Amino acid sequence: MSRMILRKMRKNQKGVITAVKKDGELGRRIRDMGLVPGTEITVQGRAPLYDPVALRVMGSVISLRNNEADFIEVEVQP
Amino acid sequence: MTAEFRIALAGNPNSGKTTLFNALTGSRQHVGNYPGVTVEKKEGVYRLEHTKINIVDLPGTYSLTAYSEEEVVARDFLIFEKPQVIVNIIDAANLERNLYLTTQFFELGIPVVIALNMIDAARDRGIEIKEDRLAEYLGVPVVPIIARTGFGTQKLMEETVRQAAKKKEWNPKPISYGEDIDSTLLDLEEKITAGNFLIDTYPARWIAIKYLESDQQIIDRGRKENAVLSAVLEKEVEAVARHLRETMETYPEAMVADHRYGYIKGILQRGVISHKYDKDRLYTSDRIDKVLTNRFLGPLFMGLVLFALYTFTFNYSELPVAWLESLFGQLALMADHLLPDGQLKSLVVSGIIDGVGGVLGFVPLIMFMFFGIAILEDTGYLARVAFMLDRIFRIFGLNGSSVMAYILSGGIAGGCAVPGVMATRTLRSPKERMATLLTAPFMNCGAKLPVLALFIGAFFSENKAQYMFFFTILSWTVALVLAKLLRVTVLKGESTPFVLELPPYRFPTLKGLFIHTWEKTWQYIKKAGTVILGISIIIWAMMTYPGLPEKDKEKFVQQRQEVEAAYPAMIVAGSNMTISEEEAAERSRMLAAIDRAESGMALRYSVAGRVGTALESVSFLAGFDWRTNIALIGGVAAKEVILSTLGTAYSLGGDNQDQSGSLGQVLAADPGWNPVKALSVLLFISYYAPCFVTVICISREAGSWKWGAFSMVFNTLFAFILAILVFQIGSLFC
């Protein structure tokens, strides 16, 4: 088990969110989508130019930009 | 006895809300706008025996914050219009996330009925939901439905009526947000109640939560109501915020959100939901995505889809457009026969029929465009387009969804800015959307193409294809660069977060597609139709009045008489002609030449002609003479008018459409024209003020006439500066 920021995660890697370090509109939008501590995520893939990233969260697929993923910390399975 | 209820339909985007609304209300819908914003307000009626249920379809939202227009509209509606019940539609396959919005209804305390939608799709995914347990733990009725087939909708409405009939008071549900927040909440609530602070409008605890979430709308209202008390509340929130930051590196709003999810998780864990398959199993939709958003295949397929949308919109609408054109041609012909020669006839034919025909001529285009977009949107593909292109468009301060508007506007040469501007509705971020709709008209629309073709043919005939390609690339460059310029000046601001849901691929319902298409098209007809009629009459008057003085008219009458005297045989009607065919041809040729000379002179004498002449004192900088100026003024009504007006100004006869060849020859031979001037004029035409229909659409989509006016002034200035530069620098070398 190790912690890393979401941007660094590889395709198909799984993890559990430990923190979302952002307030304001962006923070709100991230939480609205269910990206809160304790949520399991899987990196589904990336856009052709490696950005944004697509995540599987609670049965839906959410995309966010890499610079938005920087605020999300994840505990990943090795 | 008949009863009447008013309910709101609310839920996440992609939860099937629109499908349910269509299933309940069918064609009994009314679409308007919420006052002051561009968010659509849809209302419809459902009848259950003797009960009339008025349903308001709230915009699809994930939350009820103050960050987006949609969310503000939704919660203001709930608070100020107080519907008796909210029907909260929830995607059964995505229960946890969808219930997040529900918790915010609980915070308001408004009675909720949950419509658990797409239970079939959830079952296919191996998800089983015990709705009775869910209802028990949430404390609200839960009705499983399948909106697409109509399954369960009657039961849903029966339950809704039962709840509405109870006329329950609003009863906020106390959700716990953790010790720190809870104790602060209690304290704030006490102060709010004691100070009688906004509690006529909002529940006290809800106000306290919004202060903790630093909700700008509520804080602003609070300051207006009682600045002193508001400051006290803000200070207390600040204290707890500091405490949370120092001890746990978090924010009050994050705590609130986390605990809302905690509340949901707590309920779902009590045997409400069971998964038959492994949660990480790939669904069909994910498998499709493996191909459609693949690094290599994805962009390729997207190119094909966008090209197909373009072809569908413009090629398949050709036939109905031609029908409409011939219909209006017939009308004009009829008016021509019925009305006596003179001003009235000219007004009806050139002003009214041409003007209204111009607007209605777009209708098939718009219908096809919206139909195509509805398919892309309802299947879920549109979100993938935004996903794949976001990285590129972000550089210019836009986002991935901007590409559609550009392509429809003429990014593939020959589109139209009207559907392009309207297509920006699919962009959810306001600033990116404004920048897109203001720059989409820079693309080469179908009406600019003949102008390009004529000038390029006349002056750059050796490299036609290269020049056409160059102008297309240039349009993209100009649109993107100016979008960037707008985003760092008038539309300055951080890029809107791009947290976007990629909904599962679904088959659209035909009913949904048709309702969607018809609604949008009808809005266009209503808005554009009324305004454009007035404007086309004004333009017509400018190019008609004042008429030539009698003295000049007589001159032309005299000339005609001379011609008729020279070929007298034609005047005698009969079959035994004495003049030869050549003579007859010569005669009508000369008469037509006189007509053209007269209309050319009349045009110069008219208001438009005088304005064009007066503008020469400025426009000479870019090399434009008065004839060009008049044509450009006419082009503001519609770009199609440019060539015909230029033809009239060169006395080539305004009405016949097939004179472009000869106009090209005349211009190429005219000593006043050269390739540099042609290039300068072309660039100006490509980028100056959009046509009036587009300006009206821009104003409507942007929600204010100021933006319509802005686009006219800004585009014209930009085009003029560009034209001056090209003309002045180019003239140095020629």
Side-chain angles (χ1 to χ4, degrees):
Chain A
M1 288 289 198
S2 65
R3 282 194 181 194
M4 60 162 73
I5 56 168
L6 178 54
R7 185 204 278 259
K8 300 256 167 73
M9 283 175 75
R10 283 172 286 112
K11 195 174 167 181
N12 294 327
Q13 197 171 19
K14 268 186 229 170
V16 175
I17 295 177
T18 52
V20 178
K21 298 194 163 165
K22 181 73 186 152
D23 59 351
E25 181 174 11
L26 178 56
R28 194 77 56 93
R29 297 245 174 255
I30 291 174
R31 292 183 191 97
D32 284 353
M33 291 297 185
L35 298 169
V36 293
T39 302
E40 273 180 50
I41 56 166
T42 312
V43 175
Q44 164 135 333
R46 289 178 195 276
L49 295 168
Y50 286 95
D51 184 13
V53 57
L55 307 173
R56 299 199 334 124
V57 188
M58 298 179 182
S60 62
V61 181
I62 308 292
S63 96
L64 64 163
R65 293 172 174 166
N66 279 340
N67 58 7
E68 295 165 345
D70 280 343
F71 299 104
I72 301 177
E73 276 181 9
V74 186
E75 193 160 271
V76 293
Q77 294 153 5
Chain B
M1 203 196 90
T2 57
E4 199 171 330
F5 295 111
R6 186 168 158 91
I7 65 159
L9 185 59
N12 282 190
N14 311 311
S15 59
K17 195 165 60 65
T18 309
T19 312
L20 176 59
F21 184 70
N22 288 341
L24 289 175
T25 62
S27 53
R28 297 175 299 275
Q29 300 186 5
H30 170 81
V31 186
N33 274 67
Y34 289 96
V37 293
T38 49
V39 181
E40 271 175 16
K41 181 180 189 177
K42 281 203 219 166
E43 288 177 275
V45 175
Y46 180 83
R47 279 178 198 283
L48 188 76
E49 288 157 27
H50 297 297
T51 316
K52 186 179 170 199
I53 306 162
N54 297 308
I55 306 176
V56 177
D57 185 25
L58 295 181
T61 62
Y62 296 106
S63 190
L64 286 182
T65 63
Y67 282 115
S68 75
E69 263 183 3
E70 282 91 357
E71 294 179 26
V72 171
V73 158
R75 80 181 193 191
D76 279 354
F77 178 84
L78 296 177
I79 286 160
F80 294 107
E81 313 255 334
K82 294 213 188 313
Q84 278 120 337
V85 171
I86 298 180
V87 172
N88 181 193
I89 183 163
I90 278 179
D91 175 3
N94 203 345
L95 191 56
E96 199 170 339
R97 217 268 323 283
N98 275 247
L99 283 173
Y100 186 69
L101 182 66
T102 315
T103 59
Q104 299 181 53
F105 297 141
F106 287 171
E107 285 167 0
L108 270 173
I110 186 165
V112 172
V113 172
I114 287 178
L116 194 61
N117 191 24
M118 298 188 270
I119 45 164
D120 51 341
R123 213 169 285 144
D124 288 345
R125 292 187 161 205
I127 299 169
E128 207 64 57
I129 296 168
K130 300 231 162 26
E131 65 261 5
D132 45 342
R133 285 198 193 173
L134 183 64
E136 189 191 331
Y137 300 147
L138 287 173
V140 297
V142 175
V143 183
I145 64 164
I146 303 170
R148 288 166 69 92
T149 63
F151 169 84
T153 48
Q154 166 129 9
K155 204 169 156 230
L156 174 71
M157 283 296 108
E158 285 165 7
E159 187 57 47
T160 304
V161 167
R162 206 169 306 139
Q163 292 300 319
K166 288 184 190 163
K167 298 204 165 59
K168 274 198 282 196
E169 287 287 303
W170 282 29
N171 183 19
K173 202 184 277 281
I175 296 171
S176 165
Y177 306 104
E179 230 173 276
D180 291 320
I181 300 279
D182 282 351
S183 64
T184 313
L185 264 182
L186 274 179
D187 203 45
L188 294 179
E189 207 182 326
E190 215 168 88
K191 289 190 173 115
I192 287 166
T193 315
N196 200 12
F197 182 72
L198 294 174
I199 52 176
D200 294 341
T201 322
Y202 310 100
R205 186 175 164 89
W206 192 81
I207 301 172
I209 296 172
K210 292 299 134 182
Y211 262 82
L212 272 165
E213 287 188 302
S214 7
D215 185 291
Q216 210 50 53
Q217 188 203 20
I218 298 301
I219 294 178
D220 285 344
R221 279 192 194 153
R223 284 179 186 155
K224 225 181 265 167
E225 169 92 5
N226 183 344
V228 182
L229 183 52
S230 180
V232 173
L233 301 177
E234 285 169 55
K235 221 168 166 188
E236 200 166 334
V237 170
E238 215 173 282
V240 70
R242 200 179 319 116
H243 173 72
L244 288 175
R245 210 161 41 232
E246 282 162 6
T247 56
M248 292 194 274
E249 272 190 272
T250 185
Y251 314 89
E253 59 192 77
M255 290 291 277
V256 171
D258 295 353
H259 280 86
R260 282 180 190 140
Y261 276 110
Y263 167 80
I264 297 164
K265 281 195 180 104
I267 285 175
L268 296 187
Q269 273 162 10
R270 293 159 74 184
V272 169
I273 191 166
S274 63
H275 293 265
K276 218 173 2 181
Y277 310 128
D278 175 19
K279 265 197 206 170
D280 289 317
R281 198 176 93 119
L282 284 188
Y283 304 120
T284 319
S285 181
D286 302 321
R287 291 209 195 90
I288 298 174
D289 256 343
K290 282 211 171 226
V291 180
L292 295 194
T293 60
N294 174 281
R295 180 151 304 141
F296 306 105
L297 296 176
L300 201 71
F301 184 76
M302 179 172 58
L304 284 177
V305 167
L306 291 177
F307 188 75
L309 170 69
Y310 178 88
T311 316
F312 174 73
T313 305
F314 294 102
N315 291 7
Y316 290 107
S317 64
E318 231 168 59
L319 203 62
V321 166
W323 289 338
L324 273 178
E325 256 168 29
S326 76
L327 178 75
F328 280 96
Q330 296 281 330
L331 269 179
L333 224 64
M334 255 168 62
D336 200 43
H337 282 303
L338 289 176
L339 296 168
D341 275 341
Q343 305 291 342
L344 178 68
K345 181 174 175 172
S346 168
L347 170 68
V348 170
V349 175
S350 308
I352 297 174
I353 295 180
D354 281 1
V356 174
V359 171
L360 293 184
F362 284 116
V363 167
L365 257 184
I366 286 179
M367 283 178 76
F368 276 71
M369 188 262 317
F370 275 123
F371 192 79
I373 291 190
I375 293 176
L376 294 188
E377 203 169 4
D378 292 0
T379 50
Y381 188 67
L382 202 55
R384 271 77 183 179
V385 172
F387 171 69
M388 284 190 275
L389 283 172
D390 182 65
R391 188 70 199 89
I392 300 171
F393 280 82
R394 196 194 319 163
I395 301 171
F396 302 99
L398 305 172
N399 82 32
S401 315
S402 308
V403 69
M404 293 248 301
Y406 279 164
I407 286 185
L408 286 167
S409 299
I412 303 173
C416 173
V418 173
V421 165
M422 293 175 90
T424 59
R425 282 184 199 172
T426 53
L427 271 88
R428 282 189 152 248
S429 16
K431 282 189 173 131
E432 284 84 344
R433 177 166 178 265
M434 284 295 300
T436 309
L437 73 86
L438 287 173
T439 50
F442 289 125
M443 295 296 173
N444 287 318
C445 70
K448 289 178 194 164
L449 275 191
V451 187
L452 280 172
L454 180 122
F455 279 88
I456 291 174
F459 293 98
F460 313 103
S461 52
E462 316 87 79
N463 304 313
K464 262 189 214 164
Q466 286 95 319
Y467 267 88
M468 281 308 263
F469 185 69
F470 167 73
F471 270 95
T472 304
I473 297 297
L474 192 67
S475 295
W476 276 90
T477 316
V478 166
L480 288 173
V481 169
L482 288 188
K484 181 73 187 172
L485 181 76
L486 290 172
R487 287 287 278 115
V488 297
T489 54
V490 277
L491 295 170
K492 194 158 65 183
E494 286 270 306
S495 67
T496 312
F498 189 68
V499 186
L500 175 81
E501 183 177 5
L502 303 178
Y505 290 106
R506 288 178 188 138
F507 272 108
T509 63
L510 219 53
K511 186 177 176 185
L513 292 179
F514 282 125
I515 290 181
H516 185 91
T517 307
W518 173 245
E519 254 169 27
K520 305 283 186 272
T521 311
W522 178 238
Q523 280 173 5
Y524 165 78
I525 297 173
K526 263 195 316 200
K527 285 281 173 181
T530 43
V531 181
I532 204 70
L533 177 61
I535 290 168
S536 55
I537 290 175
I538 292 171
I539 296 269
W540 165 82
M542 277 177 68
M543 295 177 70
T544 310
Y545 294 104
L548 282 177
E550 285 306 313
K551 190 169 64 171
D552 293 304
K553 271 192 195 163
E554 260 164 44
K555 236 186 276 166
F556 288 107
V557 172
Q558 217 174 343
Q559 283 179 16
R560 273 189 203 102
Q561 282 166 354
E562 277 164 25
V563 172
E564 278 158 7
Y567 301 98
M570 277 300 283
I571 301 168
V572 187
S575 52
N576 50 348
M577 299 270 162
T578 51
I579 62 167
S580 66
E581 262 181 42
E582 293 92 73
E583 279 177 316
E586 176 68 10
R587 180 178 185 276
S588 53
R589 200 189 56 74
M590 287 174 75
L591 281 176
I594 293 167
D595 284 349
R596 291 196 299 262
E598 185 176 5
S599 52
M601 191 167 172
L603 184 59
R604 179 159 199 185
Y605 196 78
S606 71
V607 174
R610 289 168 202 214
V611 173
T613 312
L615 282 177
E616 260 187 350
S617 59
V618 189
S619 69
F620 81 96
L621 285 171
F624 305 166
D625 59 3
W626 66 271
R627 291 187 175 91
T628 316
N629 289 347
I630 300 179
L632 295 175
I633 294 172
V636 176
K639 306 291 172 199
E640 287 89 344
V641 176
I642 293 177
L643 286 186
S644 61
T645 313
L646 205 56
T648 310
Y650 275 95
S651 301
L652 289 167
D655 289 336
N656 52 355
Q657 297 290 315
D658 54 358
Q659 34 83 10
S660 57
S662 57
L663 178 61
Q665 285 157 16
V666 169
L667 294 183
D670 192 310
W673 282 80
N674 58 41
V676 175
K677 177 175 172 180
L679 193 60
S680 150
V681 171
L682 262 190
L683 288 172
F684 188 81
I685 291 174
S686 291
Y687 305 123
Y688 83 120
C691 69
F692 265 121
V693 187
T694 306
V695 172
I696 289 161
C697 287
I698 289 178
S699 310
R700 197 189 125 65
E701 295 301 322
S704 150
W705 288 100
K706 271 186 245 156
W707 285 111
F710 173 85
S711 83
M712 292 186 75
V713 174
F714 176 76
N715 295 16
T716 307
L717 272 181
F718 167 76
F720 192 51
I721 291 169
L722 191 67
I724 292 175
L725 283 177
V726 167
F727 183 71
Q728 295 295 341
I729 296 173
S731 297
L732 294 177
F733 298 99
C734 286

